[in-house]
Amino acid sequence: MKIPILRLERILLVSIQVDLTDNDAMQFQSDLVEQVAEIEALGVAIDITALDVVDSYMARVINDTASMVRLLGAESVICGVQPFVALTLVEMGRDLLGADCAFNLGQGLEILRTRIATRGDTRLSEDENV
Amino acid sequence: MRMSELPPAQIPLHETADVVTARRAARELCEQLGFGKADQTRLATAVSELTRNVIQYANHGECVIENRSTATHRCIWVQVRDQGAGIANLEQALTDGYSTSGGLGAGLPGTRRLVDQFHIESTPQGTCITIVLTKPL
């Protein structure tokens, strides 16, 4: 199961639409991190609207992925955590999802753009030679 | 009730895909019995945690999901069992923040908080965890 990673200039969009097995989740993590490095992405938005179960393992994979992306130098935001997923994660324990979140992909993108702008990196487009 | 005539679901646990199968089966039964979305998510998440433990620590086992509703209560009973080496320090494993596998340490204590009843038996011959979700009709 391969999760498609969409590229919008130097922002990467990932929408997890299927229930991932642990192996799928690890594959997704390495694919995404690799691609962030490859294109020197400025930001990554991970949409999990379709996930109706996020257990501690999946939460860790999502958190770790967001941290890895940030270590590489890109901003990251998790979008569309379902209300009952949020409820369950908080009931299970604190800090299961520590990454930055947004209601939906649209808002996530807005957050990324603002952050990238305040960071002073204006090369949203690919014209690095200018 | 018609649902109570359904045979219990018995899901063998051998690989990570079985975790997905088990949590889906749990959610489906939950939904069929009329539990709300919050309870569906709680039970599916609890089943996911427990069945993953089996794959991770004992390699294989099984998950049984049963409808044990009565005239007054809707009730789902889930048992996850394996013949692995057991949990050496049960008290520690049920403590928040403790994990032997580099997880977030929310596994067992977190799961316990999601369900109405939680029972664990662990010997060097295997582990058996029973969880129950009930709601008055």
Side-chain angles (χ1 to χ4, degrees), chain B residues 10-33:
Chain B
Q10 199 150 353
I11 299 142
L13 305 170
H14 296 291
E15 48 174 358
T16 58
D18 299 330
V19 173
V20 177
T21 311
R23 71 183 178 219
R24 273 197 202 140
R27 177 186 283 277
E28 263 163 41
L29 182 59
C30 238
E31 197 178 353
Q32 283 172 4
L33 295 182

Side-chain angles (χ1 to χ4, degrees), chain A residues 28-121:
Chain A
F28 151 74
Q29 184 175 71
S30 57
D31 285 353
L32 181 61
V33 170
E34 211 168 288
Q35 205 166 343
V36 167
E38 195 181 303
I39 71 156
E40 296 186 354
L42 297 173
V44 177
I46 303 170
D47 176 46
I48 59 166
T49 309
L51 289 189
D52 56 9
V53 175
V54 176
D55 59 13
S56 63
Y57 178 84
M58 193 60 198
R60 178 161 64 98
V61 171
I62 293 170
N63 265 341
D64 288 356
T65 309
S67 308
M68 288 168 188
V69 163
R70 249 179 261 132
L71 270 178
L72 290 174
E75 303 290 338
S76 63
V77 62
I78 312 296
C79 315
V81 175
Q82 290 298 301
F84 297 111
V85 167
L87 187 136
T88 304
L89 281 175
V90 170
E91 280 178 353
M92 265 205 296
R94 299 147 291 136
D95 304 330
L96 276 181
L97 262 190
D100 295 317
C101 299
F103 278 105
N104 50 49
L105 204 49
Q107 200 186 68
L109 274 178
E110 222 169 279
I111 292 174
L112 285 181
R113 289 218 161 96
T114 316
R115 283 230 196 105
I116 292 164
T118 49
R119 209 167 77 160
D121 198 339

Side-chain angles (χ1 to χ4, degrees), chain A residues 14-33:
Chain A
V14 200
S15 184
I16 303 177
Q17 294 289 337
V18 289
D19 209 351
L20 297 183
T21 67
D22 297 4
N23 300 342
D24 294 338
M26 290 317 290
Q27 184 64 46
F28 151 74
Q29 184 175 71
S30 57
D31 285 353
L32 181 61
V33 170

Side-chain angles (χ1 to χ4, degrees), chain B residues 65-77:
Chain B
I65 304 170
E66 261 182 57
N67 170 19
R68 293 210 174 166
S69 299
T70 63
T72 55
H73 285 73
R74 50 181 67 122
C75 173
I76 296 187
W77 178 94

Side-chain angles (χ1 to χ4, degrees), chain B residues 104-122:
Chain B
L104 281 162
L108 286 183
T111 305
R112 181 148 74 164
R113 279 195 288 273
L114 295 179
V115 292
D116 298 313
Q117 284 175 46
F118 181 98
H119 180 74
I120 182 165
E121 259 170 73
S122 191

